[in-house]
Amino acid sequence: KAGVTQTPRYLIKTRGQQVTLSCSPISGHRSVSWYQQTPGQGLQFLFEYFSETQRNKGNFPGRFSGRQFSNSRSEMNVSTLELGDSALYLCASSLGSSGGTDTQYFGPGTRLTVL
Amino acid sequence: KQEVTQIPAALSVPEGENLVLNCSFTDSAIYNLQWFRQDPGKGLTSLLLIQSSQREQTSGRLNASLDKSSGRSTLYIAASQPGDSATYLCAVRRNTGGFKTIFGAGTRLFVKA
């Protein structure tokens, strides 16, 4: 079974631009979560989608948004990029079940550099 | 507000040593707790998941325990190897109408050959 894939793997943008990152979950998984990882703040939760609905959101400004499609693939968008948005963006997928055994599987991440 | 703390922040041990990594969390209303390892510049690899109703899980040389009442989890690594060198992350998952995962800052482990 293929793992979680993220595209692109590396991205360089300039301040003020916008960026879209993509995540394809493991087949059959309906929940996708996004995280930002930086050396200073560690791993921080951005948002979680299940069956095309955002179920939870972290403490990030409105410039960060996302969506999920009917095939469970997800995209996140960052508008008006700032230098502080430089980070590794990680996507995780899971079944999204409520039984307590819902394991998250992570993709390799997208390394975003804002100049 | 859930906070997750990992101690120590870094650890260097000789090959073959048994070691314990610690994770503490402030809110015991968790859905599950998952331990991950991360190699430099890479994504996260799931090691063990403990449901909130469980006390421990084992996989090979790894054993993770959970004590919800005291807000603690430990990851025990037996007979450490240089290939175990990585950052180990503890993640607490909550279900508040939707899943939210809070990560600790991690323990950076170096196993010397």
Side-chain angles (χ1 to χ4, degrees), chain A residues 1-92:
Chain A
K1 196 182 248 189
V4 179
T5 58
Q6 292 187 245
T7 57
R9 294 292 312 280
Y10 302 92
L11 208 47
I12 300 176
K13 292 286 188 178
T14 56
R15 280 180 298 173
Q17 287 187 310
Q18 74 166 18
V19 67
T20 299
L21 311 182
S22 180
C23 172
S24 292
I26 291 171
S27 177
H29 284 190
R30 297 168 66 189
S31 172
V32 173
S33 298
W34 288 90
Y35 300 86
Q36 181 196 65
Q37 187 176 33
T38 59
Q41 298 297 318
L43 265 158
Q44 292 186 286
F45 172 78
L46 278 158
F47 24 65
E48 185 240 359
Y49 287 89
F50 179 82
S51 292
E52 302 179 67
T53 301
Q54 186 183 90
R55 293 199 300 190
N56 220 329
K57 187 173 170 21
N59 297 322
F60 279 83
R63 301 185 297 107
F64 291 81
S65 63
R67 59 179 175 168
Q68 186 180 35
F69 302 96
S70 58
N71 61 358
S72 294
R73 190 177 70 86
S74 178
E75 289 181 346
M76 68 162 280
N77 184 276
V78 188
S79 62
T80 320
L81 284 166
E82 300 177 359
L83 294 179
D85 297 333
S86 294
L88 180 66
Y89 289 87
L90 293 162
C91 159

Side-chain angles (χ1 to χ4, degrees), chain A residues 37 55-56 97 100-102 104, chain B residues 31 38 51 93 98-99 101:
Chain A
Q37 187 176 33
R55 293 199 300 190
N56 220 329
S97 61
T101 58
D102 200 57
Q104 291 190 91
Chain B
Y31 177 76
Q38 184 176 32
Q51 299 176 54
R93 202 156 193 215
F99 289 122
T101 303

Side-chain angles (χ1 to χ4, degrees), chain B:
Chain B
K1 180 188 171 186
Q2 179 72 274
E3 293 182 1
V4 181
T5 304
Q6 291 189 246
I7 294 173
L11 187 59
S12 180
V13 299
E15 181 178 7
E17 192 160 299
N18 301 325
L19 55 101
V20 175
L21 308 182
N22 297 290
C23 171
S24 62
F25 47 95
T26 54
D27 187 343
S28 62
I30 67 171
Y31 177 76
N32 63 36
L33 185 146
Q34 201 165 350
W35 282 93
F36 295 90
R37 72 170 276 169
Q38 184 176 32
D39 294 286
K42 302 288 180 63
L44 277 63
T45 301
S46 177
L47 297 173
L48 289 165
L49 179 145
I50 311 177
Q51 299 176 54
S52 64
S53 58
Q54 296 179 321
R55 298 283 296 189
E56 68 176 340
Q57 280 289 333
T58 298
S59 176
R61 296 182 294 110
L62 305 178
N63 175 277
S65 68
L66 173 65
D67 184 343
K68 269 199 336 177
S69 61
S70 65
R72 292 180 185 176
S73 176
T74 61
L75 179 67
Y76 175 83
I77 303 177
S80 58
Q81 304 170 357
D84 294 331
S85 298
T87 295
Y88 289 79
L89 294 152
C90 165
V92 171
R93 202 156 193 215
R94 300 187 65 197
N95 189 351
T96 55
F99 289 122
K100 185 172 184 177
T101 303
I102 306 299
F103 280 84
T107 293
R108 186 172 295 182
L109 173 66
F110 179 64
V111 181
K112 298 172 286 188

